[in-house]
Amino acid sequence: MPTVVDRGLEGVVVGSTKLSNVEGTVGRLTYRGFDIDDLAPSATFEEIVHLLLYGHLPNRTELETLKRELGSRRSLPEPLISAMQNVPKTAWPMDVLRTIVSGLGLFSPVNARGEHLSDVHTAIELVAKTPTIVAAWDRIRRGLDAVEPRADLSQASNFLYMRSGKMPHAIEADALDTYFVLLADHSYNASTFAARVTASTRADLYASVTAALATLQGDLHGGAATASFRALTEVGDPENAEGYVREALARNERIMGMGHREYKVRDPRARHLEAMAKKLSEQEGNSRWYEIASRLEDASRKVLQEKKPDNTIYANVDFYTAPVLADLGIPGDEFTCLFACGRIAGWTGHILEQLADNRLIRPQATYDGPPPGPFVPIEKRDVNGARN
Ligand code: COA
């Protein structure tokens, strides 16, 4: 039988999960059987963390216990704050986040084989601390001191509080909470897959989450929201949207935040984010980000359809992330870090699921290099390394 090469593993099933299901043709996303359309308006991020890590929605007692644990695990070891104070202020936020998350492992005990405990409490620790790192770097790079986290606030409120030093408006805290709910998991997306590949070697939670963070960074994945915000700033005015799209496509560029490997209809998360972007733009006193984004989406659909009437390139989760996070006052280059603050719930859940029923993930590749040949001693090599 001829070898079939799936370069992007498109449509290839490499494992199973009980955490979430993406139904790309109908545009449905479920977390352990619960539709994101029901969860987004009704569940808090903490409930989703419980659902993903413990396998069921919490009752009141379980939720309070989880909130207490999250609150008690938010502070960072002081040397990691000092480390952030000693890196160039120009460092890219995702580089800082990835490095400091990896650094958290240095403060956790290891057994004789150099392994950290990878259990649900380490997972909660990573969920708790990720926003603390993002907020601390946000302030440190502005020349300010990091603000100590508060144990009594939600993940979303506490993040906004640590960033500004002030209690956030309820609408803002709710918007960020819903954003975290929407971003919490998405089956075998690239960063989650990277985390599972890493865990499949029996690497621990710190190592596997670090791999996930590295994979999230690129603009075909979590970096798209930052790139999408750059597009909104370049468009600048809703009137320019169509011209922007035509010029970008003429240069063979992609419209960031549009298109998805799995969804062939509009990403279900985009609807919730769009509504939130609209609400925030009204609240934030005439912010134009929502209006620009909305016109850019319409223009993208129009021009892409002119090019290919049956195309399936619709807004994805990153498209309306940009106006939402911009109206929350978060700088564009931190958007991928905010994605990580939500997705850390899914990553850790997937890593624990992988470790609980592990098989090393090790695919094959076809070889298309030179055929086998004799070794060439160094004195016999020409400038290209071949025999002279
Ligand atoms: N803008 C313009 N054209 C796009 C596009 C976009 N955002 N996304 C895909 N296309 C086009 C490609 O140019 C290609 O056209 P062609 O068939 O004429 O060559 C076609 O659609 C298929 O693209 P392909 O890259 O094979 O699809 P994919 O399933 O691998 O792509 C993404 C998925 C997400 C990588 C892709 O849609 C993309 O690059 N989007 C922008 C980045 C982004 O928003 N990423 C976040 C994803 S959540």
Side-chain angles (χ1 to χ4, degrees):
M1 224 167 64
T3 307
V4 179
V5 178
D6 288 282
R7 279 179 64 227
L9 294 182
E10 194 166 349
V12 177
V13 178
V14 296
S16 63
T17 179
K18 290 186 169 45
L19 272 82
S20 62
N21 192 23
V22 178
E23 292 168 84
T25 46
V26 293
R28 184 164 52 216
L29 169 62
T30 45
Y31 296 163
R32 294 198 189 269
F34 297 105
D35 198 313
I36 196 73
D37 284 347
D38 296 326
L39 296 174
S42 310
T44 62
F45 180 58
E46 285 74 10
E47 288 174 270
I48 302 303
V49 171
H50 195 287
L51 175 66
L52 294 174
L53 293 182
Y54 287 101
H56 62 274
L57 284 168
N59 60 31
R60 281 188 198 286
T61 312
E62 288 169 326
L63 184 58
E64 285 315 309
T65 305
L66 175 64
K67 283 186 187 168
R68 264 198 307 279
E69 185 168 355
L70 283 166
S72 70
R73 289 178 182 268
R74 284 190 180 131
S75 290
L76 299 178
E78 202 287 322
L80 292 181
I81 299 275
S82 299
M84 284 191 264
Q85 279 159 343
N86 284 302
V87 302
K89 302 268 183 284
T90 51
W92 191 250
M94 271 301 279
D95 286 341
V96 176
L97 177 60
R98 189 186 63 243
T99 305
I100 301 298
V101 164
S102 181
L104 286 174
L106 305 174
F107 297 87
S108 146
V110 280
N111 65 17
R113 292 187 303 278
E115 294 160 348
H116 302 277
L117 190 62
S118 287
D119 65 357
V120 73
H121 301 290
T122 313
I124 293 169
E125 169 112 12
L126 282 156
V127 174
K129 285 186 165 52
T130 300
T132 314
I133 300 169
V134 180
W137 177 244
D138 176 286
R139 289 182 68 87
I140 290 169
R141 70 173 174 157
R142 286 187 280 146
L144 303 170
D145 286 335
V147 168
E148 259 300 299
R150 270 177 55 173
D152 58 325
L153 301 178
S154 70
Q155 286 288 105
S157 290
N158 180 56
F159 172 77
L160 293 170
Y161 163 76
M162 287 187 294
R163 232 198 119 242
S164 67
K166 294 193 296 260
M167 273 304 288
H169 196 290
I171 289 185
E172 294 172 340
D174 284 352
L176 190 61
D177 184 71
T178 307
Y179 170 77
F180 288 160
V181 168
L182 291 168
L183 272 286
D185 198 34
H186 210 235
S187 188
Y188 273 46
N189 61 93
S191 55
T192 301
F193 184 51
R196 292 193 76 129
V197 170
T198 309
S200 84
T201 71
R202 293 199 203 152
D204 59 41
L205 267 161
Y206 295 100
S208 304
V209 165
T210 304
L213 282 160
T215 311
L216 185 70
Q217 190 153 345
D219 67 10
L220 295 188
H221 190 12
T226 291
S228 180
F229 182 60
R230 215 175 295 128
L232 298 188
T233 54
E234 281 168 30
V235 173
D237 186 297
E239 294 303 312
N240 301 336
E242 190 170 328
Y244 172 89
V245 173
R246 291 193 186 284
E247 283 170 29
L249 294 183
R251 290 192 301 269
N252 271 329
E253 286 171 13
R254 293 182 176 207
I255 310 301
M256 302 316 276
M258 298 288 295
H260 200 278
R261 176 62 70 79
E262 293 295 313
Y263 293 118
K264 300 306 163 204
V265 293
R266 201 167 185 244
D267 184 327
R269 298 164 296 179
R271 185 165 61 82
H272 298 281
L273 288 163
E274 182 187 9
M276 226 149 69
K278 187 164 189 293
K279 199 163 154 188
L280 280 173
S281 75
E282 289 157 3
Q283 150 87 8
E284 297 302 321
N286 281 329
S287 145
R288 298 194 87 192
W289 296 126
Y290 164 70
E291 206 191 333
I292 297 173
S294 173
R295 289 282 284 276
L296 185 61
E297 183 189 11
D298 292 346
S300 302
R301 286 296 307 146
K302 178 181 166 193
V303 179
L304 285 163
Q305 248 174 341
E306 280 171 20
K307 280 171 72 94
K308 218 187 241 180
D310 60 346
N311 84 79
T312 53
I313 302 166
Y314 293 89
N316 63 47
V317 68
D318 293 305
F319 194 86
Y320 283 101
T321 288
V324 166
L325 296 186
D327 276 338
L328 290 176
I330 294 161
D333 63 357
E334 280 175 29
F335 288 4
T336 319
C337 299
L338 269 289
F339 187 144
C341 292
R343 187 57 56 85
I344 184 77
W347 287 335
T348 50
H350 277 271
I351 294 162
L352 295 179
E353 188 180 56
Q354 181 69 36
L355 291 171
D357 182 18
N358 189 44
R359 175 143 177 91
L360 177 70
I361 300 172
R362 204 298 188 194
Q364 291 182 352
T366 55
Y367 174 73
D368 57 4
F375 174 74
V376 184
I378 195 159
E379 62 281 5
K380 300 252 170 73
R381 287 175 214 158
D382 65 14
V383 283
N384 299 316
R387 185 177 288 274
N388 57 27

